Amino acid sequence: MTAVLAFNHATKMRIDVLTLFPEMFPGYLGQSLLKRAIDAGLVDIQIHNIRDWARGKHSQVDDRPFGGGPGMVLRPEPVVECVEEIQGQTPGHLVLLTPQGRKLDQRAVEGLAAHDRLVLICGRYEGVDQRAIDILEPDEISIGDFIVSGGEVAAMVVIDAVVRLVPDVLGDEQSNKQDSFSGDPPLLEFPQYTRPREYRGLNVPEVLVNGNHPEIARWREEQKIERTRQRRADLLSANKPQTD
């Protein structure tokens, strides 16, 4: 079986990913921000193959659903026993990536980032045997109202969003505070511009180049509100105080 690595208390966060397809992750984890965070010891990400906990001569991890129907269902034994061994003496916050879970948004990401350790189960096929869910009682999370082939892509989304909130990962601690969906209410980010000042007849707004930082701050805040009103008015209405 895959060895369970001891939790490294020198890192600020550990994330374990439980998957049937571990080969999907090395390229993703070996690039850009995530690679720098791992190399700097700010986050420890370990990938575990659920098949290592499968039973029988053929190491079967899935089977046909009772009652009939298309597709296959992940058996409970390898999932439960994989989680139990990986959790060990330092259990983390257990997450099952599933379209039936609560929807991932920035507030949910902030909640996940508050944990020292996350354990992500990647669902596959027609889902996980309900008994595994009943036994493990994971936090069920969906990345949106659509279907992807498996939880691996969803796990990557969770990892990327959470790692951005780990202290020192971004370098500039103000960076994620200006991102879309940050703040209260969660507004969209203001439009950004860089050189050249003129391109195909379109100019950078004069306020951004006049050096007046209070004016720039006001303009950006106004743009955030207006852009949110135009594109995601639901974000504003969801944060209005309730009246009798």
Side-chain angles (χ1 to χ4, degrees):
M1 289 188 177
T2 302
V4 180
L5 302 180
F7 180 64
N8 181 1
H9 292 280
T11 59
K12 296 185 177 180
M13 169 167 279
R14 170 164 170 166
I15 302 176
D16 293 85
V17 181
L18 283 49
T19 173
L20 295 178
F21 299 95
E23 62 276 8
M24 293 179 65
F25 288 88
Y28 168 69
L29 298 176
Q31 303 295 323
S32 188
L33 184 72
L34 283 173
K35 183 179 188 302
R36 292 198 300 271
I38 293 168
D39 289 346
L42 300 174
V43 61
D44 178 19
I45 301 178
Q46 300 294 329
I47 310 300
H48 308 272
N49 192 339
I50 296 173
R51 296 180 194 277
D52 290 342
W53 281 265
R55 298 177 180 177
K57 181 171 64 175
H58 301 293
S59 298
Q60 188 173 357
V61 294
D62 59 349
D63 214 327
R64 292 185 296 275
F66 281 117
M72 304 290 277
V73 176
L74 279 176
R75 295 169 61 112
E77 319 99 287
V79 175
V80 171
E81 292 163 26
C82 175
V83 169
E84 289 176 341
E85 185 170 343
I86 294 303
Q87 290 275 41
Q89 298 301 310
T90 312
H93 182 69
L94 184 63
V95 174
L96 171 64
L97 284 315
T98 167
Q100 300 180 35
R102 64 186 177 105
K103 192 178 294 186
L104 187 71
D105 59 17
Q106 191 62 25
R107 294 294 173 267
V109 170
E110 290 168 1
L112 294 175
H115 296 279
D116 291 331
R117 185 183 184 193
L118 298 176
V119 179
L120 309 180
I121 307 171
C122 300
R124 269 279 163 175
Y125 311 126
E126 295 303 311
V128 179
D129 187 297
Q130 183 62 40
R131 290 168 295 182
I133 298 171
D134 293 342
I135 291 168
L136 298 172
E137 298 183 325
D139 181 3
E140 299 182 59
I141 290 180
S142 166
I143 61 170
D145 295 340
F146 53 88
I147 302 298
V148 294
S149 296
E152 287 75 17
V153 172
M156 292 177 189
V157 170
V158 170
I159 291 170
D160 196 276
V162 166
V163 168
R164 288 177 55 83
L165 300 184
V166 173
D168 300 327
V169 165
L170 294 181
D172 183 349
E173 294 305 313
Q174 293 301 311
S175 181
N176 59 35
K177 294 180 174 58
Q178 295 183 358
D179 287 343
S180 294
F181 310 113
S182 298
D184 186 15
L187 304 175
L188 300 183
E189 190 175 0
F190 49 81
Q192 298 275 15
Y193 297 87
T194 187
R195 291 180 176 84
R197 286 183 61 170
E198 185 276 333
Y199 179 68
R200 295 193 178 184
L202 298 175
N203 293 290
V204 175
E206 189 63 28
V207 65
L208 297 179
V209 296
N210 67 11
N212 188 319
H213 294 289
E215 283 189 11
I216 291 172
R218 282 194 297 272
W219 180 87
R220 286 177 168 171
E221 191 64 25
E222 290 168 358
Q223 291 295 312
K224 288 167 63 175
I225 294 170
E226 181 61 18
R227 178 167 282 195
T228 304
R229 186 190 66 78
Q230 292 178 350
R231 303 184 183 188
R232 289 293 306 275
D234 59 296
L235 295 174
L236 296 172
S237 60
N239 284 272
K240 286 183 178 178
Q242 298 297 315
T243 57
D244 294 334

